[in-house]
Amino acid sequence: PDAPSPAPAPTARSRAPLTTAPTTKAITLPTPVDITALQSVSTAEAAAWHRIVAASMAHDLPAVPTPDPAQIHAQLTQPPLGSRRLTWLATTADGVPLGVAALRLFTSPGQDHLSELELHVDPAHRRLGAGSLLLSAAVAACRTENRRSLIAAAAPGSPGEAFSQQRGFRPALTLDHLLLRLDEPSDPGLPRITGTAPSGYRPAHWTGTVPDALADAFASAKNAMNDMPVGDLDYGSITWNADRVRAMAKVIADRGDTLLTTAAVHDDGTMAGYTEILLPQGRGPRAQQYDTAVVPAHRGHGLGLWIKAAMVRRLRAGHPDVVEIETDNADDNVHMLAVNHQLGFRSYRRTREFQLELPTT
């Protein structure tokens, strides 16, 4: 499998980082901080959320494009697949936004023990306790919801890593983020990969919802993601069916993004493998890799490399505004890393996944 994505998300895939810790410009005077649980997110609150995320990412992850305001608004207002979201806003006593936290509570069987945290504090307002208060609110919600695992992500050596380790999170998985430039005159792998499908297989391409004739086969192939490397994360598993893959496509469309899928279908009608690319709303220059998987019975035929190369050709032909693809792989996912390097992907940053074990009743 390619990127470990539990369900459509920025990035989700991204999993968004914990970003709160001392900076050289931090305010050191004590300031009261209020934490508000948002029952629904207003347009003004979404705008404040975007400003905080943009400032946080510019400081801690300058190489990573910041989601635009429409993406943040959709993330906060559209229901995620197989989960629900709780959100909090930290402000000064006079209402100045300082930080935000979003807690995703997974609800599908096999993952209903799991929660995932995104937390940002504006670098200009760190060391005031906002991050700690936001984390306390999220942990209290996890306990109320009887969750045993809380996961979050931060870059190695970043403020978020120090913050998480100081508060009992343990490192559980390291992800290698890679980029493929599509606007370069040539890349080392793609010219050598034939556009002809391996013997016994044919390509299938679609945008958005899978065609009805392929829905069951696609759902079966999606279950191959359950053997993706997850390190020491208490990640659980997901069972896919035709209704779930249709629901996934609807979630993505409702938030304004576009999902492209390219698959390899065996002569017997089974789906042997597939790869997914997300085009964010606004059509920025960077596409996001979602899942890539090859069904175990069909491994060893070069299908993973072939379907990913077919997707690159599809993007170049149909989406010239996309100039790069970002993917991530567990650092022990040797096979998929090799496939990506053959295609010309190059590492550009790393993320560490952290997990906090919580007592359950």
Side-chain angles (χ1 to χ4, degrees):
D2 213 346
S5 53
T11 78
R13 229 268 49 183
S14 72
R15 297 187 181 92
L18 283 169
T19 50
T20 174
T23 73
T24 56
K25 296 182 180 179
I27 296 171
T28 56
L29 296 176
T31 301
V33 175
D34 294 330
I35 304 297
T36 302
L38 303 178
Q39 301 305 314
S40 60
V41 179
S42 69
T43 300
E45 288 163 344
W49 194 293
H50 177 263
R51 289 193 295 271
I52 291 168
V53 170
S56 173
M57 291 182 65
H59 183 276
D60 297 333
L61 297 168
V64 182
T66 303
D68 67 27
Q71 288 175 288
I72 292 291
H73 185 270
Q75 175 191 346
L76 294 172
T77 57
Q78 295 296 325
L81 179 67
S83 58
R84 54 192 177 87
R85 186 184 293 110
L86 303 178
T87 54
W88 295 268
L89 177 66
T91 61
T92 62
D94 55 358
V96 177
L98 307 176
V100 294
L103 181 67
R104 187 178 181 192
L105 298 165
F106 292 85
T107 56
S108 298
Q111 286 195 317
D112 50 7
H113 64 283
L114 186 63
S115 54
E116 183 178 66
L117 178 65
E118 174 183 359
L119 193 156
H120 293 273
V121 175
D122 187 324
H125 298 288
R126 293 179 179 176
R127 297 195 71 180
L128 301 177
S132 296
L133 290 171
L134 288 166
L135 176 60
S136 294
V139 169
C142 287
R143 288 176 172 152
T144 298
E145 298 286 341
N146 204 31
R147 303 305 166 117
R148 69 171 185 254
S149 299
L150 174 62
I151 59 176
S158 70
E161 180 178 60
F163 176 85
S164 59
Q165 290 179 326
Q166 290 165 5
R167 287 155 180 80
F169 287 80
R170 61 172 180 82
L173 177 69
T174 299
L175 297 173
D176 191 6
H177 294 255
L178 307 95
L179 280 179
L180 175 65
R181 295 290 303 187
L182 302 179
D183 57 349
E184 294 177 350
S186 63
D187 51 62
L190 190 61
R192 298 194 300 271
I193 303 168
T194 177
T196 304
S199 178
Y201 300 91
R202 60 179 174 83
H205 309 277
W206 65 89
T207 299
T209 305
V210 61
D212 288 345
L214 293 174
D216 289 329
F218 181 45
S220 180
K222 284 287 257 183
N223 287 310
M225 287 298 294
N226 284 323
D227 66 2
M228 67 183 178
V230 294
D232 295 324
L233 288 175
D234 184 13
Y235 189 71
S237 61
I238 302 171
T239 300
W240 291 87
N241 57 31
D243 288 340
R244 186 181 178 89
V245 296
R246 293 186 182 104
M248 177 195 72
K250 184 177 186 302
V251 165
I252 292 172
D254 286 349
R255 70 178 189 228
D257 299 334
T258 300
L259 185 66
L260 307 179
T261 307
T262 290
V265 180
H266 191 263
D267 288 345
D268 65 6
T270 60
M271 191 169 292
Y274 67 94
T275 189
E276 298 168 323
I277 288 287
L278 183 84
L279 304 179
Q281 65 169 304
R283 290 295 190 275
R286 181 177 295 185
Q288 295 290 331
Q289 178 77 61
Y290 264 30
D291 293 351
T292 300
V294 176
V295 175
H298 295 275
R299 293 173 184 169
H301 301 289
L303 289 172
L305 184 61
W306 176 75
I307 56 177
K308 292 201 74 168
M311 178 63 85
V312 170
R313 292 189 176 96
R314 180 180 175 187
L315 284 171
R316 282 179 166 163
H319 300 275
D321 53 320
V322 176
V323 299
E324 59 188 6
I325 304 170
E326 179 177 0
T327 188
D328 63 76
N329 302 116
D331 63 355
D332 60 350
N333 193 349
V334 177
H335 174 72
M336 191 52 69
L337 283 168
V339 166
N340 285 329
H341 286 143
Q342 280 185 268
L343 282 167
F345 281 88
R346 293 293 176 261
S347 300
Y348 86 107
R349 69 182 180 97
R350 292 167 74 78
T351 295
R352 195 158 288 150
E353 299 273 352
F354 291 88
Q355 181 167 299
L356 180 66
E357 281 83 26
L358 299 168
T360 58
T361 58

